[in-house]
């Protein structure tokens, strides 16, 4: 059951599309309709895992939602489609947008993802000293940074 502000969520986003950063920005904008108090880590560029492709851009989103987990997962999958992700492209190892729910309230999802080094690195950024400006409020002028 959510508290007054909803369920805390952590969501991973990734793309190996040639316009990956723009696709991530679009996904964040779309997700703002069902996630509040949203913050985003910087984008990390990583090598692909399990497929042959170019590098991936990855980031994490933290925030709150009033949606239960099944409804949130459905909304996330719709956001992937709204960003242009298609099975036909995935068969060609083009991942326009991959969004995975990692945490909903106290329940963890995708246990293997929690062990991946880039997820560990992004998680550490979520709780670093706020003065380092690693976690960006989505309302800010530049919510995503690759520096």
């Amino acid at each position: 059951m959510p508290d007054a502000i909803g369920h805390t969520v952590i969501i991973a986003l990734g793309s190996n599309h040639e316009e990956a950063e723009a696709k991530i920005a679009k996904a964040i904008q779309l997700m703002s309709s069902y996630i509040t108090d949203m913050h985003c880590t910087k984008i990390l560029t990583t090598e692909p895992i399990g497929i042959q492709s170019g590098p991936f851009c990855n980031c994490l989103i933290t925030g709150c939602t009033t949606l239960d987990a099944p409804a949130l997962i459905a909304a996330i999958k719709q956001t992937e489609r709204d960003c242009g992700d298609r099975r036909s492209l995935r068969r060609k190892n083009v991942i326009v947008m991959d969004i995975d729910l990692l945490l909903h309230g106290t329940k963890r999802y995708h246990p293997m993802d929690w062990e991946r080094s880039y997820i560990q690195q992004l998680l550490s950024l979520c709780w670093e000293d706020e003065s380092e400006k690693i976690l960006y409020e989505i309302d800010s002028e530049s919510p995503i940074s690759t520096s």
Side-chain angles (χ1 to χ4, degrees), residues 24-142:
I24 288 172
K26 180 177 181 177
I28 291 168
Q29 185 266 325
L30 292 169
M31 289 191 308
S32 69
S33 69
Y34 52 87
I35 298 174
T36 60
D37 192 29
M38 193 184 307
H39 294 79
C40 178
T41 63
K42 70 178 183 177
I43 291 176
L44 288 181
T45 302
T46 62
E47 292 303 312
I49 299 171
I51 66 171
Q52 291 193 354
S53 79
F56 275 76
C57 290
N58 300 282
C59 70
L60 292 182
I61 296 296
T62 63
C64 295
T65 187
T66 57
L67 298 176
D68 63 17
L72 179 57
I73 291 167
I76 284 169
K77 295 306 161 192
Q78 183 60 52
T79 297
E80 288 178 345
R81 290 186 294 276
D82 291 346
C83 288
D85 198 59
R86 301 287 182 269
R87 287 184 186 184
S88 59
L89 291 170
R90 284 183 177 237
R91 282 192 289 273
K92 298 174 186 174
N93 292 335
V94 177
I95 312 301
V96 177
M97 181 53 51
D98 184 36
I99 307 173
D100 291 317
L101 178 61
L102 297 181
L103 182 76
H104 185 275
T106 59
K107 183 169 181 185
R108 286 185 176 200
Y109 294 81
H110 298 276
M112 289 178 60
D113 286 357
W114 285 87
E115 302 303 318
R116 298 190 191 280
S117 62
Y118 75 92
I119 293 289
Q120 289 291 318
Q121 187 176 356
L122 289 168
L123 284 167
S124 72
L125 298 178
C126 290
W127 288 276
E128 281 191 359
D129 183 356
E130 201 172 299
S131 67
E132 293 187 35
K133 307 289 185 200
I134 303 259
L135 194 63
Y136 299 92
E137 289 191 40
I138 297 307
D139 310 318
S140 71
E141 247 176 71
S142 179

